[in-house]
Amino acid sequence: MPRQNPNEKVLCPHCPEKITKKHLSRHISHQHSKINLQCPNCKTFRGKTKEDLDNHISRKHGQLENKDPLTCLKCEKKFHSHYSLMQHRRMAHKESGKSRRKQVDINLGELFEKDPDLLAELEPVKHLLVDDVYNGKVHSVYNFQFRTMDNKAFRGNLEKVYKDLGCAAKINVAFGFIMKSLEGEYRYFYAHNNNTLFERPVVLANDGDLEFICDRLDDEDYFEHMVNERPNTKWRFYSVTNMTVFAYLMPHVALGCKNADLPSYITRNKFIYTLTYDGSRHKFNDNFCLFRAICFQRHQMQQSDEMEKAVTDLANEYFEHFEGEKDPKRFRGVKDKEIYVVEDLAGVNVVIYSCERDDNGKLVGMLSRRSLNKYPETVNLLRYGRHLCYIEDPKRVFKQYRCPNCNTHFRKVSHFQRHLTTCDERVKHIYPGGVYELKKTIFDELEEIGIEEKSAQEMGQKFDKVFRQLDSFLMALRQEKSHRDRQKTADGAEKEEDNVAVVDDEESDRDDDDMENFILYEDGEEPQDNDDDEMDDYIVPDAVDLSNENDKMLKLLISFYEGIRKKLERYCLTLPCFGFNSSRYDLNLIKEFLLKHLVKEKEINPEVIRKTNQYVSFTFDHLQFLDILNFLGGATSLDSFLKAYQTTEQKGFFPYEWFDSPEKLSNKELPPIEEFWSKLKNYEHYNSAAPPSAAEENYDYLKSIWKEYKMSSFRDFLRWYNDKDVIPTLEAMQKMMNFYHEKGIDMLKLGCTLPNLANRCLHQSTGVKFYRFGKRDMDLAKRVREEIVGGPSIVFTRYAKVGETKIRDSENVCRAIVGVDASQLYPYSMCQPMPTGPYVRWDLRDGKFYPLKIHRSDLELKVIGFLQSKRKECKIQSLEVTGKQKRIGPFLVDGFCDHCNTVFEVMGCYYHYCACIEHKLTEDDLEKCEKKRAQDEMRRNYIKSKGFNMVEIWECEWYQQMRENNNGERHFVQTNFKHRSPISERQLIYKILDDEYFGVVECDLVVPDHLKKKFQNFPPLFKNHLVSREDIGTFMKTMAEENNLMKKPRKMLISSFYLEKGMVITPMLKFLLKLGLQLKKVYSFIEYQPQKCFESFVDQVVSARREGDKNKSSGVVAETMKLLGNSSYGYQIMNRNKHSVTKYGNESNIHDLINQKMFKASTEICDDVYEVGMMKKSIEHKEPIIVGFFILQ
């Protein structure tokens, strides 16, 4: 039976209001029930439910019976209800439910130096420099004034958080701090959940957790964490101001379970009472284990009839609380969010544990749920599966346990054991290997099925024609399928009639037409006549013969063409909505209202790509928000963007500092000229580089605009200024889009950032193929990423004076100051030979280097290469050789030759279940074998039916042929690599120096003693290395000691005299050896084929920039090509490990999201809407990282 949607809105049977299904019964009981519960004290209040009455009594008349008072943790005042306590905390302690700026009375001069610039920077944020707390439904935020990096203060603040938390939580820590530039400028950096100290939140559930987190804080390098936030190296750390703790609450699941099957290590533990049998040894057949455990403690751990009566009474109170929403006959147990109800009904605190056994067979427990501790009595329970057992004394049963690597809180043995196999990386890393190819666009897929338009601009008005062509073929497929379905139905009806012995006279008199309609059109469906005029609009495929296709093939074809049509429809309907710098400002301003509408009202989860607090892409339905700034350089302003693209109109001018209140919109005159001076950046808004005379001219221009548009108030001027932004921006965007359209790229739909577009332009400019690291070589991929260090770009000091400044605290004095524009170093590097084609690993064994045997996954590459050598007249198209596969209908084939119209298929024996492995198959494999062979036969028949010849090469047959004559293997080796015999280290080095070998060498390098003086100011070897206090300069060392920083070494990029097991490309190795460095040892070698492949792309960039310098009309192309050239290489080394997923939730699922192991952080957007950041479950490393590695080095 299909599961009903609880969020579906239905019409109330008593009123016209629409209510969700899950809230319908509560709505009826509150709004339409005739029950009136009268207050026994004031006689004026009448409520529909007991909950309403209890809330009224607790608010107006004091404490309820059997309810202990609640205590405020700040002032120790007593309150009768949770509502009264929360109201007190909001009013007395200013704990607002929303993050509004608060008015605080604080003397900044007493806390900091009385520097006017510093005090001016801190004045707007002084509300963040005091102790404060925000308590939400899902997470809480604690802020503490914090001036020194004192471990005692850390522990004290965390203890306050621990005492205030009402349940277990995952916490993270961030700092607010001040930095000071070399020019004396101050800047405050906020503490937010995008710059937290821990990469992932840490569980805080008990005293052991608290001690663990404090110890971990002692080991953290706070200074490094804060320094990483600075925008550039001119900023220096000045002071820490506040510490913020983010707490994500964790109310866990606890359900009842009848017929529980418990293991012996629980049933035989004398401190655990399973409560699965009654006094007569009859097994309980209900889900009352939570109620039973509470009553068991109340009755002094003695089972009796009186206790069972108390269990029934407590359960009935629970059902009555929900006013008929709970059916006792269908009761499955108490949900996590309802445990607090049971606590209030019974007047006890419920603490729930779960457990597992260690290697010694002892129980190790985890805290699954903490209580708010409102009552003096506490019941400790153990959860196994969905059953709850009673624990007499938790200290005698187990202790807390967590994953030692990532501190994830576990509640099930199966979850913990499964986590241990993946904890090191936390996500599944996929290394696809093979040829790197750009992601196919919808136009690539259309071309594969015979529609050859390359881009949306080329297609133009042909979209309608393409849709009609797809619809016509889909119609033919569906008609054929419908015809077969009707035939099967008719055949089945005939058989059924043959089997019927007695037929009703009325039924037998039904005429043939009625029978046909009965069979063909069910559930009220009526036959429709085809309109011949309408059918003429469709382009019917030539010679479409579907009579030979089997039913499975028809379903596959329908699914395939429906998929292409949906992609094309999504492409056409998606409407880009772009703004300038909207990812940082506009979307953050409207997200509260937008997400509330989407998530709560429309139940739509938008597709979001985030970068820290920026929304790179925000998509829902057919609308996609994009930021123009993501397609430009990071420091680009709107004014420079418009000038670069030479728009007919330019950006307007506005007095930003003057416009500080809405009342000024009513001003009848233009503000005076001095109000257009920016105090923040010290320039006129109307022209940053203009001399005073130009400023007056621009102000005269503004006055003329005021008169020309007949402005009556500053409100009219604001409208004009906004329009001046929109019109030229549209013009500039159109020019940029036209530039990419000429390259066959729709910039707003094929990529949402500049590096994505640059990567597509780069690889479209060359036909050379690059190979990625596969699963068997994932160690190489990790080593290469670790060794990415960039080039020698070191600033020794930002102030230098000839003849005075000393270099690196040495006796060498600066003799000259030279400025070099090194912006062309990357294009120059891209013009050098790149690592192309398949690679071979050479590993050291027994004093010699052996090339590793080509893996069986490269079978297709070897077979197609061999066939190409044997068929001289053919040009075989394949992914591994030419980088492109032929598509025949829904199938991509391994190889195809236009000359002989032949399809080549390489059949792996294990994947395609060859006859040679049948003796190895199990019973489970036989079913898979039969299914796979049927799929292959269907594929084979379809390809042949389209008129293609077909050649299948089985793996076993090919290897047998290679064993008889080694031509195939020899051909592959000689085509791609020159040498295959084992060689010594000396031979390898000589072949590298002679340019016979090209690739990456893992080796030890060292600067000899007699050259150290020559390189003392600029050591030639760069590496990522651990640096301790003893390795840094005097000033930084003193600062680290005073602030207790760098207690442990941290990894930094340094220049050095030696390199151990470093990855060095062969051109760089040759250069270093010519400088006189010594190669001590070689560990391994990765061999590639050198080829200059990006020269045409670099030539386009350089030529466009030169043309732009000569001819201003070419400035648009020049500016765009400059951005592409600077961004193209970076995509190759993109670190996907930092990518995350953004999800949205509400109170119904937010706790489940927080408790997932991939959870990072959550933010409350608005009431009952939360934004949750999650680590990706799997990451595919699909870029050829080796290309970026070569360019950088």
Side-chain angles (χ1 to χ4, degrees):
M1 184 174 181
R3 184 178 179 182
Q4 295 183 349
N5 180 12
N7 295 317
E8 180 184 355
K9 291 188 176 182
V10 295
L11 188 66
C12 174
H14 304 287
C15 68
E17 187 174 355
K18 286 189 175 182
I19 309 294
T20 58
K21 286 184 177 180
K22 63 181 180 182
H23 295 142
L24 180 61
S25 59
R26 181 173 288 252
H27 164 77
I28 294 174
S29 64
H30 276 73
Q31 302 298 329
H32 308 295
S33 175
K34 297 181 180 180
I35 299 176
N36 284 317
L37 301 177
Q38 186 176 15
C39 175
N41 298 320
C42 62
K43 308 297 181 181
T44 59
F45 175 83
R46 292 180 180 273
K48 299 288 186 182
T49 65
K50 185 176 183 296
E51 182 182 4
D52 295 339
L53 181 61
D54 288 346
N55 287 337
H56 166 74
I57 295 174
S58 64
R59 295 180 190 180
K60 300 298 184 181
H61 306 298
Q63 184 177 346
L64 291 171
E65 295 181 5
N66 301 324
K67 298 283 185 176
D68 291 333
L70 304 176
T71 304
C72 174
L73 296 176
K74 288 192 173 183
C75 62
E76 298 186 355
K77 190 175 179 180
K78 306 291 184 180
F79 294 91
H80 301 303
S81 69
H82 180 72
Y83 170 85
S84 303
L85 174 61
M86 295 306 297
Q87 189 178 39
H88 161 76
R89 293 172 71 168
R90 285 194 296 268
M91 302 298 296
H93 303 301
K94 308 300 181 183
E95 295 182 8
S96 174
K98 296 289 183 181
S99 57
R100 302 188 183 98
R101 182 177 296 185
K102 302 175 183 179
Q103 300 296 327
V104 297
D105 185 15
I106 180 176
N107 190 343
L108 295 175
E110 296 179 358
L111 299 177
F112 301 94
E113 299 177 6
K114 295 185 178 181
D115 187 327
D117 294 336
L118 174 60
L119 299 181
E121 174 70 14
L122 294 178
E123 181 64 29
V125 297
K126 64 181 183 180
H127 62 286
L128 300 175
L129 309 182
V130 296
D131 291 356
D132 193 15
V133 61
Y134 159 74
N135 285 298
K137 299 177 181 178
V138 175
H139 66 269
S140 300
V141 181
Y142 299 84
N143 190 71
F144 302 96
Q145 186 183 110
F146 204 71
R147 290 301 317 280
T148 59
M149 294 294 186
D150 187 1
N151 291 337
K152 292 183 178 179
F154 280 134
R155 289 176 177 266
N157 293 338
L158 288 178
E159 287 176 357
K160 293 178 182 178
V161 172
Y162 176 62
K163 291 179 180 179
D164 190 62
L165 285 174
C167 63
K170 290 184 178 181
I171 71 165
N172 217 327
V173 181
F175 296 98
F177 55 94
I178 307 168
M179 283 199 172
K180 185 177 181 181
S181 70
L182 297 177
E183 293 82 8
E185 181 183 358
Y186 295 96
R187 180 179 296 185
Y188 176 76
F189 290 77
Y190 289 83
H192 55 84
N193 56 10
N194 287 324
N195 70 339
T196 49
L197 191 62
F198 305 139
E199 183 180 359
R200 297 178 61 193
V202 185
V203 172
L204 176 59
N206 54 27
D207 295 338
D209 293 328
L210 178 64
E211 189 66 26
F212 173 81
I213 296 173
C214 292
D215 293 341
R216 185 170 175 182
L217 284 172
D218 292 343
D219 296 333
E220 290 291 335
D221 193 338
Y222 316 111
F223 177 74
E224 178 187 9
H225 173 75
M226 289 182 281
V227 166
N228 289 336
E229 293 292 314
R230 60 182 178 176
N232 52 58
T233 54
K234 79 174 184 178
W235 293 91
R236 299 288 187 268
F237 175 78
Y238 181 76
S239 175
V240 64
T241 58
N242 58 293
M243 170 184 174
T244 302
V245 180
F246 301 95
Y248 309 99
L249 309 182
M250 297 172 59
H252 293 314
V253 179
L255 296 174
C257 181
K258 60 183 179 181
N259 298 324
D261 186 12
L262 303 177
S264 59
Y265 62 83
I266 291 180
T267 58
R268 295 179 181 179
N269 192 303
K270 63 180 181 180
F271 299 107
I272 300 176
Y273 296 83
T274 61
L275 303 179
T276 54
Y277 294 90
D278 61 13
S280 302
R281 300 302 297 170
H282 294 130
K283 203 166 189 177
F284 291 116
N285 192 26
D286 56 26
N287 290 313
F288 291 175
C289 50
L290 174 59
F291 309 130
R292 187 166 287 109
I294 294 174
C295 295
F296 183 71
Q297 177 167 297
R298 289 277 181 86
H299 288 74
Q300 300 178 354
M301 297 187 294
Q302 296 291 331
Q303 289 185 269
S304 62
D305 294 338
E306 184 181 353
M307 190 202 83
E308 285 302 315
K309 182 178 182 303
V311 172
T312 304
D313 293 341
L314 180 57
N316 289 334
E317 288 184 44
Y318 174 81
F319 296 134
E320 290 175 2
H321 176 84
F322 289 96
E323 293 289 337
E325 291 186 14
K326 300 287 186 181
D327 186 354
K329 296 181 180 179
R330 297 182 179 180
F331 179 62
R332 298 186 61 189
V334 181
K335 296 182 179 180
D336 61 325
K337 61 182 180 181
E338 299 167 355
I339 294 179
Y340 77 94
V341 176
V342 180
E343 287 183 313
D344 292 340
L345 292 173
V348 297
N349 307 314
V350 177
V351 178
I352 302 177
Y353 297 88
S354 57
C355 73
E356 61 186 17
R357 291 192 299 176
D358 59 14
D359 295 337
N360 299 321
K362 295 182 178 179
L363 292 184
V364 180
M366 296 82 67
L367 183 63
S368 293
R369 182 187 186 273
R370 287 186 66 190
S371 174
L372 291 173
N373 294 323
K374 296 192 297 183
Y375 307 102
E377 186 180 1
T378 298
V379 177
N380 296 299
L381 306 178
L382 171 66
R383 183 168 66 89
Y384 183 84
R386 292 175 54 212
H387 181 69
L388 295 174
C389 306
Y390 176 78
I391 301 175
E392 180 180 354
D393 185 359
K395 295 181 180 179
R396 297 185 180 184
V397 177
F398 44 61
K399 59 183 179 180
Q400 180 94 9
Y401 190 87
R402 68 181 57 81
C403 171
N405 298 318
C406 64
N407 305 304
T408 303
H409 197 76
F410 291 97
R411 297 167 293 163
K412 286 186 179 180
V413 177
S414 58
H415 289 178
F416 176 74
Q417 292 174 342
R418 182 174 62 192
H419 170 79
L420 288 180
T421 62
T422 58
C423 183
D424 291 339
E425 296 183 355
R426 290 171 297 157
V427 296
K428 181 181 179 181
H429 292 266
I430 302 172
Y431 294 88
V435 175
Y436 172 72
E437 58 177 342
L438 294 171
K439 184 179 180 180
K440 289 183 180 180
T441 66
I442 180 60
F443 304 106
D444 295 329
E445 297 188 33
L446 289 174
E447 184 182 2
E448 289 177 346
I449 62 173
I451 303 174
E452 299 182 355
E453 282 75 6
K454 301 292 185 182
S455 66
Q457 189 179 43
E458 182 179 334
M459 186 175 286
Q461 300 298 322
K462 299 179 183 179
F463 275 115
D464 182 57
K465 175 182 176 182
V466 174
F467 274 112
R468 285 188 283 118
Q469 190 169 353
L470 290 171
D471 288 341
S472 64
F473 194 50
L474 279 169
M475 180 178 293
L477 290 168
R478 288 167 180 160
Q479 286 178 347
E480 177 66 23
K481 184 177 183 297
S482 178
H483 172 72
R484 295 186 184 185
D485 291 342
R486 291 197 299 267
Q487 187 64 39
K488 290 179 181 179
T489 306
D491 293 342
E494 291 177 1
K495 292 180 180 179
E496 186 175 353
E497 290 178 0
D498 293 340
N499 293 330
V500 175
V502 179
V503 180
D504 185 71
D505 293 337
E506 182 180 352
E507 186 75 19
S508 62
D509 291 339
R510 183 182 292 136
D511 57 36
D512 294 339
D513 292 336
D514 291 339
M515 177 59 72
E516 181 180 0
N517 291 335
F518 176 78
I519 294 172
L520 298 183
Y521 307 105
E522 298 179 344
D523 297 330
E525 182 183 357
E526 296 294 336
Q528 298 180 0
D529 296 330
N530 291 329
D531 190 345
D532 294 336
D533 296 334
E534 183 180 351
M535 288 300 296
D536 291 339
D537 294 335
Y538 288 93
I539 305 171
V540 181
D542 296 334
V544 177
D545 183 12
L546 302 173
S547 59
N548 295 327
E549 307 296 350
N550 60 35
D551 294 343
K552 290 185 178 179
M553 191 68 230
L554 277 177
K555 291 181 181 179
L556 181 61
L557 288 171
I558 292 173
S559 176
F560 171 69
Y561 284 102
E562 283 180 344
I564 291 182
R565 193 191 188 286
K566 287 180 181 179
K567 290 181 182 178
L568 182 61
E569 183 179 7
R570 181 179 176 86
Y571 179 90
C572 295
L573 294 180
T574 298
L575 177 65
C577 178
F578 57 84
F580 194 90
N581 210 8
S582 57
S583 63
R584 291 184 176 91
Y585 295 100
D586 301 63
L587 284 175
N588 280 294
L589 287 174
I590 68 173
K591 68 179 181 181
E592 176 180 349
F593 312 99
L594 182 60
L595 288 172
K596 182 178 181 180
H597 174 74
L598 294 176
V599 179
K600 289 193 66 175
E601 299 177 12
K602 297 294 184 180
E603 298 182 5
I604 297 175
N605 273 292
E607 300 175 11
V608 175
I609 301 176
R610 290 191 62 195
K611 183 180 179 182
T612 60
N613 63 336
Q614 305 173 32
Y615 291 86
V616 178
S617 174
F618 190 101
T619 307
F620 61 92
D621 283 346
H622 297 296
L623 188 63
Q624 181 179 21
F625 290 100
L626 296 171
D627 189 352
I628 303 174
L629 205 57
N630 291 325
F631 299 94
L632 306 173
T636 303
S637 64
L638 180 58
D639 187 48
S640 61
F641 170 61
L642 300 180
K643 289 180 179 178
Y645 285 91
Q646 301 172 6
T647 56
T648 54
E649 296 186 34
Q650 295 296 322
K651 180 177 170 63
F653 319 122
F654 195 82
Y656 292 102
E657 278 77 16
W658 176 84
F659 185 59
D660 55 6
S661 67
E663 287 75 15
K664 291 187 177 181
L665 289 172
S666 303
N667 278 28
K668 303 300 182 182
E669 296 180 351
L670 188 70
I673 186 173
E674 58 269 15
E675 296 297 343
F676 285 82
W677 179 273
S678 173
K679 299 176 183 178
L680 295 176
K681 296 185 177 179
N682 295 325
Y683 67 82
E684 289 94 352
H685 285 300
Y686 37 78
N687 196 333
S688 59
S693 59
E696 294 179 1
E697 293 177 2
N698 289 329
Y699 188 70
D700 292 337
Y701 164 71
L702 295 180
K703 291 193 292 185
S704 67
I705 290 295
W706 186 280
K707 293 180 180 179
E708 179 182 350
Y709 286 87
K710 297 180 181 181
M711 298 180 184
S712 59
S713 65
F714 190 73
R715 187 186 305 275
D716 299 330
F717 182 84
L718 178 61
R719 291 196 185 99
W720 169 84
Y721 175 77
N722 290 334
D723 292 341
K724 288 289 288 183
D725 278 355
V726 174
I727 296 174
T729 301
L730 285 172
E731 182 183 353
M733 278 297 296
Q734 188 61 54
K735 291 182 178 181
M736 181 186 285
M737 291 170 63
N738 291 339
F739 169 82
Y740 284 107
H741 279 155
E742 293 176 1
K743 296 182 176 295
I745 298 175
D746 189 342
M747 60 170 287
L748 295 180
K749 292 189 178 181
L750 296 184
C752 53
T753 60
L754 178 64
N756 196 325
L757 299 179
N759 177 68
R760 185 168 288 273
C761 291
L762 179 68
H763 286 279
Q764 284 181 352
S765 68
T766 178
V768 177
K769 301 306 169 187
F770 302 95
Y771 276 68
R772 303 165 296 189
F773 293 115
K775 183 178 181 180
R776 63 189 174 114
D777 296 322
M778 66 172 63
D779 59 317
L780 289 181
K782 295 177 182 179
R783 288 284 292 120
V784 169
R785 180 162 297 282
E786 291 173 356
E787 293 292 325
I788 293 178
V789 296
S793 175
I794 293 181
V795 178
F796 298 122
T797 177
R798 289 195 170 271
Y799 173 82
K801 187 174 182 180
V802 174
E804 181 177 316
T805 303
K806 294 183 179 180
I807 300 176
R808 282 195 169 184
D809 297 329
S810 66
E811 298 300 323
N812 298 322
V813 178
C814 176
R815 298 180 182 178
I817 299 174
V818 181
V820 179
D821 183 4
S823 62
Q824 295 302 313
L825 284 179
Y826 290 123
Y828 168 79
S829 299
M830 294 170 65
C831 290
Q832 304 308 305
M834 291 288 110
T836 66
Y839 60 90
V840 169
R841 296 182 63 168
W842 294 73
D843 282 355
L844 181 62
R845 298 198 307 269
D846 301 328
K848 286 190 176 184
F849 287 89
Y850 290 82
L852 295 185
K853 185 177 180 180
I854 299 171
H855 199 261
R856 285 181 176 264
S857 61
D858 299 322
L859 175 66
E860 180 184 327
L861 176 64
K862 294 187 287 186
V863 174
I864 298 297
F866 173 69
L867 292 174
Q868 181 66 70
S869 68
K870 303 296 289 184
R871 295 171 175 252
K872 302 296 185 183
E873 72 283 358
C874 294
K875 186 177 181 181
I876 301 178
Q877 170 186 322
S878 72
L879 178 63
E880 300 293 333
V881 177
T882 63
K884 189 175 182 180
Q885 285 181 282
K886 171 73 174 178
R887 179 181 288 278
I888 301 175
F891 302 115
L892 287 171
V893 299
D894 294 337
F896 175 73
C897 176
D898 284 319
H899 177 74
C900 56
N901 197 36
T902 302
V903 171
F904 300 94
E905 292 282 71
V906 182
M907 310 292 285
C909 291
Y910 283 88
Y911 183 75
H912 293 277
Y913 293 97
C914 177
C916 69
I917 66 164
E918 285 186 352
H919 63 284
K920 300 180 181 179
L921 300 180
T922 63
E923 292 183 1
D924 294 336
D925 293 333
L926 291 176
E927 183 178 352
K928 298 178 183 177
C929 172
E930 183 179 351
K931 184 177 179 181
K932 183 61 181 174
R933 287 179 176 177
Q935 292 174 353
D936 289 342
E937 184 65 23
M938 180 178 66
R939 174 190 178 99
R940 189 179 300 114
N941 293 337
Y942 180 82
I943 293 175
K944 290 181 179 180
S945 69
K946 299 305 176 185
F948 296 100
N949 302 316
M950 192 166 185
V951 176
E952 291 183 343
I953 303 96
W954 284 91
E955 179 182 7
C956 57
E957 296 175 356
W958 190 80
Y959 275 110
Q960 179 63 30
Q961 185 180 357
M962 293 306 101
R963 282 191 289 269
E964 294 174 358
N965 56 51
N966 201 27
N967 293 335
E969 188 78 16
R970 186 181 302 114
H971 163 77
F972 174 79
V973 173
Q974 292 177 352
T975 302
N976 297 281
F977 302 99
K978 297 179 181 179
H979 303 283
R980 291 292 289 176
S981 302
I983 56 176
S984 65
E985 181 178 312
R986 178 181 291 272
Q987 289 175 313
L988 177 62
I989 295 172
Y990 279 125
K991 290 184 183 297
I992 291 174
L993 295 177
D994 293 339
D995 292 330
E996 292 187 42
Y997 279 8
F998 176 85
V1000 183
V1001 183
E1002 184 181 19
C1003 60
D1004 292 341
L1005 281 168
V1006 64
V1007 176
D1009 294 338
H1010 68 278
L1011 292 177
K1012 288 184 177 179
K1013 186 175 182 180
K1014 176 182 177 181
F1015 294 111
Q1016 63 178 344
N1017 292 329
F1018 211 103
L1021 299 173
F1022 293 84
K1023 60 184 179 180
N1024 292 315
H1025 194 71
L1026 291 175
V1027 178
S1028 65
R1029 290 179 181 176
E1030 305 302 323
D1031 302 319
I1032 59 179
T1034 306
F1035 174 78
M1036 294 299 296
K1037 180 180 179 181
T1038 303
M1039 182 178 180
E1041 291 175 346
E1042 290 177 352
N1043 293 276
N1044 198 24
L1045 305 174
M1046 290 186 69
K1047 293 171 288 187
K1048 292 185 177 182
R1050 57 191 176 105
K1051 185 169 286 189
M1052 300 174 63
L1053 175 62
I1054 65 171
S1055 59
S1056 176
F1057 288 134
Y1058 67 93
L1059 181 68
E1060 295 179 350
K1061 283 195 172 185
M1063 305 290 284
V1064 184
I1065 63 175
T1066 50
M1068 175 61 72
L1069 180 63
K1070 289 173 60 178
F1071 172 75
L1072 294 174
L1073 294 179
K1074 287 181 180 179
L1075 290 179
L1077 275 69
Q1078 295 178 356
L1079 182 62
K1080 290 293 186 181
K1081 187 175 181 180
V1082 177
Y1083 297 94
S1084 64
F1085 174 60
I1086 312 172
E1087 184 182 3
Y1088 286 93
Q1089 304 166 61
Q1091 187 173 349
K1092 293 184 177 181
C1093 47
F1094 296 138
E1095 287 182 311
S1096 62
F1097 175 78
V1098 176
D1099 287 343
Q1100 293 177 30
V1101 174
V1102 175
S1103 300
R1105 295 187 65 179
R1106 288 174 178 170
E1107 183 64 24
D1109 293 338
K1110 295 178 183 179
N1111 187 358
K1112 291 185 178 181
S1113 62
S1114 303
V1116 174
V1117 178
E1119 181 68 19
T1120 308
M1121 290 302 294
K1122 173 186 175 181
L1123 295 173
L1124 287 176
N1126 293 339
S1127 305
S1128 56
Y1129 80 93
Y1131 194 86
Q1132 319 304 314
I1133 57 174
M1134 179 172 57
N1135 189 0
R1136 292 184 176 271
N1137 293 331
K1138 297 182 179 180
H1139 290 190
S1140 60
V1141 177
T1142 301
K1143 296 183 179 181
Y1144 294 91
N1146 50 35
E1147 289 184 355
S1148 64
N1149 65 345
I1150 184 63
H1151 296 294
D1152 294 334
L1153 293 174
I1154 288 177
N1155 281 284
Q1156 292 182 16
K1157 71 172 184 178
M1158 312 312 295
F1159 169 77
K1160 290 183 66 177
S1162 72
T1163 304
E1164 185 176 5
I1165 303 298
C1166 59
D1167 184 31
D1168 197 23
V1169 176
Y1170 300 88
E1171 188 175 67
V1172 183
M1174 311 284 288
M1175 295 287 290
K1176 298 186 73 172
K1177 292 183 178 179
S1178 62
I1179 295 177
E1180 184 178 4
H1181 301 270
K1182 49 190 175 183
E1183 287 76 28
I1185 186 175
I1186 195 67
V1187 176
F1189 181 77
F1190 264 73
I1191 293 174
L1192 277 176
Q1193 196 170 105

